Amino acid sequence: MAAEDSPPIVKGVRISHPDRVLYPDQGITKLELARYLEQAAEWMLPHIENRLVSLVRCPEGRQKKCFFQRHAGAGLGGGFYELEVKGAKERENYLYIKDTKGLVSAAQMGVLEFHIWGSRVDDIERPDRLVFDLDPDEDIPFERVKSAASEIRNALGELGLESFPMLTGGKGIHVVAPLVRRHEWPTVKAFAAAVANRMAEHNPERYVAKMSKAARKDRIFIDYLRNDRSSTAIAPYSPRARAGAPVAWPVSWDELSKVRAANEVTVSGAFRTPRSDPWQGYGKLRQSLKASALRTLDIED
């Protein structure tokens, strides 16, 4: 019987057109993507569950038409939930996932990327993560990006925050600090902006904290703008809609020193060997923006 006549089922989700190739260069199919997300779920869900999510959907594969989706619409399968959020002009329903079924349902829809909010659905006004996206100019060697990540780590450490690195699956690194949900978005964004701007001011030949492409020449853009209410960042363990089928891959600081590129971990190779948690202690870490740190950065609490 043909695959289309008897679709395989992964975590209760029927995978139609399981042999459809989503990554042509690697031959990775929709069914293989669904199985990757099923395998990644134990690692990925602590970071994505009950968090508003925006999706990059590529139903015919990454080299054909892709589109961004954050609201309910046509083709949305089971495993997704909605939260009504008040925006600047009106209320809209945003999507979130609670379990492995939601991740596999996303594969059935041709989702190749998951981008998450920095807060949870039970309190969207208070983020529980702080993220710095180190985005290098095209010609900058990856060793410089790793050095920048270490500088961010040290800067946050001096302000009382432990942080964790993640390969983005593109060119850069995310440095992520978990937070106790104490402060609202404006304070967290101001803190992130102050850290980024201080680094850019101290090392203007290496870093820039402005979005302007012209300003980034031979520099690393310290993108702090992810730390805003409706802004998103790529989720840990998310696939990327990029050549090579890379994934966003958390690593330890020790592991980072040995990494050669931000896109070296792929959907096919991610879990070939047993893995211990590189972000050991992340979920139990109780830390927040200290009053002393806010004073140091001239931010009103």
Side-chain angles (χ1 to χ4, degrees):
M1 184 177 289
E4 286 78 8
D5 297 330
S6 182
I9 297 175
V10 179
K11 279 293 179 180
V13 178
R14 289 183 178 274
I15 308 299
S16 63
H17 306 288
D19 298 325
R20 177 172 291 158
V21 177
L22 299 181
Y23 291 93
D25 294 341
Q26 291 72 39
I28 295 172
T29 65
K30 185 195 284 192
L31 179 59
E32 288 171 322
L33 178 65
R35 287 176 172 157
Y36 166 78
L37 289 169
E38 179 187 29
Q39 189 173 17
E42 69 170 296
W43 303 96
M44 191 173 180
L45 280 173
H47 303 286
I48 196 173
E49 63 187 351
N50 297 317
R51 196 185 290 277
L52 297 178
V53 62
S54 297
L55 312 169
V56 175
R57 293 180 61 184
C58 307
E60 301 298 321
R62 76 161 200 90
Q63 291 180 316
K64 297 188 178 180
K65 183 179 179 181
C66 299
F67 58 94
F68 207 64
Q69 180 173 355
R70 64 173 70 187
H71 307 298
L76 191 67
F80 282 88
Y81 299 83
E82 298 177 41
L83 178 71
E84 186 180 72
V85 176
K86 183 179 180 181
K89 296 182 179 179
E90 59 185 354
R91 291 182 175 272
E92 295 182 287
N93 283 3
Y94 286 72
L95 301 173
Y96 67 99
I97 290 169
K98 291 183 179 180
D99 51 27
T100 305
K101 182 179 180 181
L103 293 174
V104 176
S105 292
Q108 162 59 19
M109 294 161 50
V111 172
L112 298 190
E113 294 190 1
F114 300 80
H115 295 258
I116 53 175
W117 281 41
S119 56
R120 304 274 180 176
V121 296
D122 61 336
D123 189 354
I124 62 170
E125 304 302 340
R126 289 181 172 83
D128 66 351
R129 71 196 306 260
L130 178 72
V131 57
F132 293 89
D133 178 4
L134 302 179
D135 184 6
D137 187 39
E138 292 286 347
D139 298 326
I140 289 179
F142 190 60
E143 289 300 316
R144 274 184 59 186
V145 186
K146 294 197 293 185
S147 176
S150 294
E151 287 193 42
I152 289 278
R153 179 195 189 188
N154 292 337
L156 293 176
E158 290 172 1
L159 295 167
L161 294 177
E162 185 177 344
S163 58
F164 301 80
M166 183 181 77
L167 310 178
T168 63
K171 300 175 298 176
I173 296 170
H174 283 187
V175 178
V176 183
L179 297 174
V180 172
R181 300 188 292 183
R182 174 184 171 190
H183 294 96
E184 295 191 354
W185 282 113
T187 301
V188 173
K189 183 179 180 181
F191 179 93
V195 172
N197 283 312
R198 285 179 97 193
M199 285 189 63
E201 289 165 5
H202 291 164
N203 292 287
E205 73 287 353
R206 298 184 63 188
Y207 305 124
V208 63
K210 299 177 181 178
M211 289 188 69
S212 166
K213 284 285 186 182
R216 298 190 206 182
K217 180 64 177 174
D218 199 35
R219 294 173 176 84
I220 296 170
F221 173 39
I222 304 174
D223 184 357
Y224 65 86
L225 299 170
R226 310 283 177 176
N227 302 288
D228 207 351
R229 184 177 185 262
S230 60
S231 296
T232 59
I234 193 69
Y237 301 98
S238 172
R240 302 305 307 263
R242 296 172 181 260
V247 298
W249 193 247
V251 293
S252 68
W253 288 108
D254 285 343
E255 285 177 315
L256 182 62
S257 66
K258 305 176 183 69
V259 173
R260 294 168 297 176
N263 61 353
E264 71 176 25
V265 182
T266 66
V267 168
S268 299
F271 294 108
R272 282 183 178 170
T273 58
R275 180 167 174 78
S276 58
D277 187 359
W279 285 10
Q280 188 70 38
Y282 178 99
K284 296 180 179 178
L285 195 57
R286 304 287 295 175
Q287 60 182 14
S288 64
L289 308 184
K290 296 179 179 180
S292 58
L294 295 175
R295 284 195 301 272
T296 296
L297 299 174
D298 294 323
I299 298 169
E300 291 187 10
D301 191 352

